[in-house]
Amino acid sequence: MRDDLPVWRSLLFVPVPVEKFVATAADRGADAIILDLEDSVAPSQKAHARTLIAGAIPVVARNGADVVVRVNRPWRLLVRDLEAAVVPGVAALMLTKVDSAEHVRACADIVTELETERGLPAGALKFIVLVETAAGFLRIEQIAKSHPRVVGLSLGSEDFAADTGMQPEPEALFYPKQQTVFAARAAGILPMGFIGSIADFRDQAAFRAMVRRSRRFGFVCASAVHPLQVAVLNEAFAPGAGEVERAERMIAAYDQALAAGLGAVQFEGAMIDVPVVERARSVVRRAAALRRRADG
């Protein structure tokens, strides 16, 4: 993956007009806070919600979380959302119901104009692209590679299921979610999400099992609609101490064997080769990146 990607495990949705949620969001432990202008905001409140973005940024970011703003899809709403969200302190925009690479590039053009007008660093504002329709899914590879601003790709389980007439169950979502991982990895960006519905949060054990399974399938972080989900995401999407220690031992054994000129390398009763060791190196890199994030 690219070396300029954010280090995230959890991203917590917060409806901007709900003051008590904004006030407590920074204390939930999420790596990023998504200030939502879309589904959690009633149509009658959207104009007011935009006026609250600038004031909410320092509140939700006070403990070091990155700030993301989720914008609406209809163009007339979207342009107004971009006008409100391209401000200092916002790390990324979550583009919703993305159905083509052209849509992403059009958004990028608008953001570039706003950055220039407002004296913001060119290209600094990143995009998370959210595919939520069958039409978008059939173009997901092109969407993932559409623009350098794109750092993450996710498939919206609930909207995608509604658009395709299926239930948002793991069996039904397995194929499109796996394709999301493939498209993100091919583009060098973050595969975001899990194989299941974001709406289920009361059963913590079931949610934890779903997220751990999703990590095994290649996902690296996901969004949360409830604070209870944050701790689970942080734990499941981070390498455990034992996993890191084993990876470090494997790398040391492999490097030592190569230095000795050995062609076959054994490690704790199994033969290991380049892809196995590269996975171990990824674990160590991920753990180091999370440590750096925690250290500020």
Side-chain angles (χ1 to χ4, degrees):
M1 291 193 291
R2 285 162 32 186
D3 58 7
D4 64 336
L5 301 180
V7 181
W8 291 332
R9 299 160 298 173
S10 58
L11 301 88
L12 177 63
F13 279 108
V14 175
V16 186
V18 184
E19 185 178 351
K20 65 178 182 179
F21 291 165
V22 172
T24 58
D27 302 318
R28 304 302 189 177
D31 294 327
I33 303 296
I34 304 173
L35 296 174
D36 192 22
L37 297 176
E38 200 213 15
D39 285 349
S40 68
V41 179
S44 62
Q45 289 293 307
K46 289 189 186 292
H48 175 60
R50 293 187 199 105
T51 69
L52 303 175
I53 292 292
I57 292 169
V59 178
V60 301
R62 68 179 183 271
N63 290 332
D66 295 326
V67 179
V68 178
V69 178
R70 181 165 74 164
V71 296
N72 289 277
R73 175 62 175 91
W75 274 109
R76 289 197 299 171
L77 291 177
L78 173 55
V79 172
R80 295 178 188 131
D81 289 350
L82 296 178
E83 290 273 359
V86 181
V87 293
V90 176
L93 302 175
M94 177 176 278
L95 305 182
T96 58
K97 297 178 176 63
V98 176
D99 56 15
S100 70
E102 289 75 19
H103 174 78
V104 178
R105 289 194 284 266
C107 291
D109 287 345
I110 295 171
V111 170
T112 297
E113 290 179 8
L114 291 169
E115 285 175 337
T116 301
E117 291 173 4
R118 297 172 181 184
L120 299 173
L125 194 59
K126 304 305 182 183
F127 290 169
I128 300 166
V129 289
L130 191 55
V131 173
E132 302 178 84
T133 64
F137 177 70
L138 293 177
R139 304 184 188 107
I140 198 166
E141 183 178 353
Q142 292 80 13
I143 290 170
K145 297 178 179 179
S146 59
H147 199 275
R149 289 185 188 271
V150 177
V151 295
L153 174 69
S154 183
L155 185 85
S157 301
E158 297 292 335
D159 284 282
F160 182 77
D163 189 63
T164 55
M166 66 184 192
Q167 294 298 313
E169 299 169 351
E171 292 80 6
L173 290 167
F174 178 80
Y175 162 66
K177 288 285 188 173
Q178 193 171 50
Q179 287 296 104
T180 301
V181 172
F182 296 160
R185 294 290 182 175
I189 62 176
L190 300 175
M192 303 175 63
F194 37 70
I195 305 173
S197 171
I198 195 175
D200 300 327
F201 63 87
R202 295 295 179 188
D203 189 336
Q204 292 289 83
F207 183 68
R208 180 175 287 104
M210 179 178 68
V211 177
R212 286 177 173 172
R213 178 173 184 255
S214 300
R215 183 190 168 203
R216 294 195 299 272
F217 277 92
F219 288 100
V220 299
C221 61
S223 52
V225 295
H226 192 280
L228 288 175
Q229 295 175 319
V230 172
V232 177
L233 295 175
N234 286 348
E235 180 229 337
F237 280 124
E243 183 181 359
V244 175
E245 291 170 3
R246 185 177 188 277
E248 290 173 339
R249 293 198 308 272
M250 179 186 293
I251 294 166
Y254 185 78
D255 290 345
Q256 183 178 2
L258 285 186
L262 300 178
V265 182
Q266 294 188 43
F267 174 73
E268 298 183 359
M271 302 299 297
I272 58 174
D273 56 7
V274 172
V276 176
V277 176
E278 183 51 40
R279 284 197 295 272
R281 296 190 195 279
S282 296
V283 168
V284 173
R285 287 194 297 267
R286 172 75 166 170
L290 290 170
R291 284 195 299 271
R292 288 194 297 271
R293 180 182 179 89
D295 291 341

